[in-house]
């Protein structure tokens, strides 16, 4: 079985340090590809052996060209199960993106690629048994979807989600259903570029007012804050959280971009 090859070589920008534990690359077979928004596709990759996975963990995906050039990126895992050999990745297409563009435009069902994981202890959402406030920007929703799929909602969970518009409000139905179903779950969505005629909800970027209101609902409950999205988003939200009085050790962040 050949591994998938990139057609266009470029520069390898991956400087991410993963973990000291030696993780081996293994072959993953693409078994499903679904468009879930104009920018995001859901790729399901199957490995031979199953892995125990936790929400917040990610896998590295490696592409190799015929010339031997290698590009590797990390993607948060989504699943319905904690022990599986089928892993979903919600991947946003970056216009000039070396890997995401390739995956969106060239990858097809039955192809193989190299993956390794699961990786990540720090942003592991199962590490806390407490109440949580999850704050996602755009594609930063992926680790939270996995987390929300396996919760029993005994503890209070709030999700503040900022997306551009209705089309990029990822996993909309799933999140809205959970919001109806579980009284301990609160979904707060802000769509920053949606038409005001069709969207009557929040439309500003996540600001201190939105944060304070959500924090108030967790008053007196030990709460951990998980923030995920592009670097600017994550920096911005964590400084706002600190400014409204949250202790830095209660904030966990995952940066998806530069
Ligand atoms: C732990 C971890 C988990 C991640 N999980 C996911 C995930 O679940 N889904 C997902 O889509 N991505 C995720 N990412 C981001 C992913 O690893 C890649 O960085 C992303 O797909 C872009 O790679 P690329 O090769 O397409 O772009 P590159 O070729 O690396 O970058 C091309 C250009 O786009 C800019 N750029 C790169 N990333 C972004 C971005 N996110 N937003 C805006 N501009 C950007 C770069 O600065 C550069 O100018 C995760 C990253 C980390 C570190």
């Amino acid at each position: 079985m050949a591994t998938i090859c990139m057609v266009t070589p470029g520069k390898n920008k991956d400087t991410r340090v993963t973990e000291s534990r030696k993780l081996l690359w293994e072959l993953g077979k693409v078994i499903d590809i679904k468009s879930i928004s104009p920018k995001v596709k859901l790729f399901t990759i199957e490995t031979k052996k199953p892995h125990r996975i936790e929400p917040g963990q990610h896998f590295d995906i490696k592409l190799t060209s015929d010339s031997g050039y290698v590009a590797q990126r990390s993607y948060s895992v989504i699943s319905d199960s904690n022990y599986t050999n089928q892993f979903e990745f919600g991947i946003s297409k970056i216009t000039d993106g070396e890997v995401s563009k390739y995956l969106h435009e060239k990858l097809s069902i039955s192809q193989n690629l190299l993956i390794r994981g699961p990786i990540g202890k720090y942003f592991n959402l199962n590490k806390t048994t407490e109440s949580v406030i999850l704050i996602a920007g755009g594609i930063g929703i992926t680790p939270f979807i996995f987390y929300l799929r396996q919760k029993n909602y005994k503890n209070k969970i709030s999700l503040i989600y900022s997306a551009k518009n209705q089309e990029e409000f990822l996993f909309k139905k799933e999140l809205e259903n959970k919001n109806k179903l579980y009284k301990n779950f609160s979904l707060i969505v802000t769509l920053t570029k949606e038409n005001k005629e069709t969207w009557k909800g929040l439309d500003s970027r996540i600001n201190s007012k939105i944060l304070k209101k959500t924090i108030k609902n967790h008053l007196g409950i030990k709460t951990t804050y998980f923030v995920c999205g592009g670097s600017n988003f994550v920096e911005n939200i964590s400084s706002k959280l600190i400014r409204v009085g949250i202790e830095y050790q209660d904030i966990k962040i995952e940066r998806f971009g530069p």
Side-chain angles (χ1 to χ4, degrees):
M1 272 194 295
T3 55
I4 190 161
C5 283
M6 293 180 70
V7 179
T8 28
K11 28 185 205 311
N12 186 352
K13 298 182 206 118
D14 184 59
T15 52
R16 192 174 163 76
V17 176
T18 49
E19 281 183 358
S20 51
R21 170 171 63 108
K22 184 92 182 137
L23 272 173
L24 298 176
W25 291 100
E26 62 187 304
L27 267 191
K29 185 176 181 179
V30 181
I31 57 165
D32 194 30
I33 303 176
K34 252 192 242 111
S35 273
I36 57 166
S37 88
K39 276 177 66 183
V40 178
K41 280 187 181 174
L42 207 54
F43 297 87
T44 310
I45 296 176
E46 187 179 75
T47 53
K48 274 219 170 89
K49 68 174 177 58
H51 291 278
R52 192 160 297 285
I53 50 172
E54 307 275 7
Q57 291 192 308
H58 64 272
F59 281 73
D60 288 339
I61 291 185
K62 177 155 89 171
L63 305 178
T64 313
S65 76
D66 288 335
S67 64
Y69 169 73
V70 168
Q72 143 193 344
R73 298 289 184 271
S74 306
Y75 294 102
S76 297
V77 63
I78 307 175
S79 175
D80 293 327
S81 159
N82 275 109
Y83 188 67
T84 179
N85 68 335
Q86 294 187 354
F87 312 98
E88 282 182 335
F89 301 98
I91 301 183
S92 176
K93 184 178 173 182
I94 308 279
T95 316
D96 303 319
E98 192 173 45
V99 171
S100 63
K101 191 163 182 258
Y102 181 84
L103 297 175
H104 270 253
E105 292 179 1
K106 305 277 195 244
L107 197 65
S108 58
I109 291 176
S110 293
Q111 280 187 286
N112 294 299
L113 38 66
L114 287 170
I115 74 167
R116 72 172 176 194
I119 300 165
K121 289 181 185 141
Y122 159 79
F123 202 72
N124 182 335
L125 283 117
N126 275 353
K127 281 269 168 71
T128 174
T129 50
E130 297 155 358
S131 194
V132 293
I133 295 184
L134 314 170
I135 308 170
I139 190 66
I141 192 72
T142 50
F144 302 148
I145 293 298
F146 182 12
Y147 175 74
L148 293 169
R149 280 189 189 169
Q150 38 148 299
K151 288 320 281 179
N152 53 19
Y153 296 88
K154 272 194 194 146
N155 292 326
K156 195 163 179 50
I157 301 173
S158 296
L159 167 66
I160 309 177
Y161 181 22
S162 174
K164 285 205 166 82
N165 51 36
Q166 301 261 20
E167 283 183 318
E168 294 300 335
F169 178 174
L170 307 172
F171 304 97
K172 184 172 188 279
K173 266 202 190 127
E174 181 172 344
L175 290 171
E176 287 179 342
N177 283 343
K178 286 193 196 314
N179 199 30
K180 276 190 210 134
L181 210 60
Y182 302 109
K183 71 171 179 22
N184 265 345
F185 177 56
S186 307
L187 174 67
I188 302 107
V189 176
T190 178
L191 300 182
T192 54
K193 294 198 172 138
E194 182 54 85
N195 186 335
K196 308 279 176 286
E197 306 282 294
T198 50
W199 175 251
K200 301 294 173 203
L202 296 171
D203 60 3
S204 69
R205 289 176 174 224
I206 298 172
N207 53 32
S208 303
K209 193 174 161 201
I210 299 175
L211 292 174
K212 278 185 188 158
K213 197 170 167 199
T214 312
I215 293 166
K216 213 171 154 192
N217 287 334
H218 285 243
L219 215 64
I221 312 170
K222 177 79 183 129
T223 299
T224 307
Y225 297 76
F226 289 87
V227 188
C228 186
S231 283
N232 286 344
F233 175 85
V234 166
E235 300 299 337
N236 186 289
I237 298 297
S238 32
S239 16
K240 283 196 169 72
L241 286 172
I242 300 278
R243 247 180 280 137
V244 299
I246 304 305
E247 302 283 338
Y248 77 92
Q249 65 269 25
D250 292 332
I251 307 170
K252 293 189 180 288
I253 59 168
E254 184 83 286
R255 292 185 185 87
F256 271 13

